[in-house]
Amino acid sequence: MPDQLPEIELEDRGSKGRYVLRGPDGAEAEMTFTKIGEHQIIIDHTEVPDVFRGQGAGLRLVTRAVEDARAAGKKIIPLCPFANAQFRRHHEWADVLKQ
């Protein structure tokens, strides 16, 4: 299907990493994070280029981070304003939110 959204890829670089969606034209929507020890990550930044707008790309990236954190028993500190807003909207993510 040509209108199917690309898969989210995780790029892990030691203490930092990012989740990325790549568009067919090379555009990238990304959410970057920093690891704090073994049990916490900070979502630093989310960037979604215009080509991805209206497709829920930013929400997909944050949702994937939540799912991965939950599976690994980690907590998330959403310093990124977009991610922080998503956490306020999605109360079902409270279990992975660092209080």
Side-chain angles (χ1 to χ4, degrees):
M1 279 190 257
D3 59 351
Q4 187 173 0
L5 288 173
E7 286 298 306
I8 296 171
E9 297 175 38
L10 170 60
E11 296 179 358
D12 193 326
R13 298 190 184 101
S15 64
K16 292 188 174 289
R18 71 180 187 147
Y19 290 94
V20 62
L21 280 165
R22 288 188 172 86
D25 59 354
E28 292 183 344
E30 71 169 1
M31 186 196 70
T32 61
F33 64 87
T34 302
K35 297 176 192 171
I36 305 298
E38 294 294 310
H39 305 291
Q40 296 178 59
I41 68 164
I42 293 172
I43 296 177
D44 308 302
H45 179 68
T46 305
E47 186 167 340
V48 178
D50 288 341
V51 68
F52 286 104
R53 298 254 185 241
Q55 300 178 44
L59 177 58
R60 285 186 65 210
L61 292 166
V62 178
T63 300
R64 170 68 188 275
V66 167
E67 291 167 352
D68 287 358
R70 189 175 281 141
K74 294 184 179 182
K75 297 288 186 184
I76 294 175
I77 302 166
L79 291 186
C80 161
F82 175 80
N84 196 357
Q86 293 303 318
F87 268 89
R88 287 197 304 274
R89 288 188 189 112
H90 294 271
H91 302 289
E92 70 275 18
W93 296 348
D95 61 308
V96 298
L97 180 62
K98 175 69 176 169
Q99 299 296 341

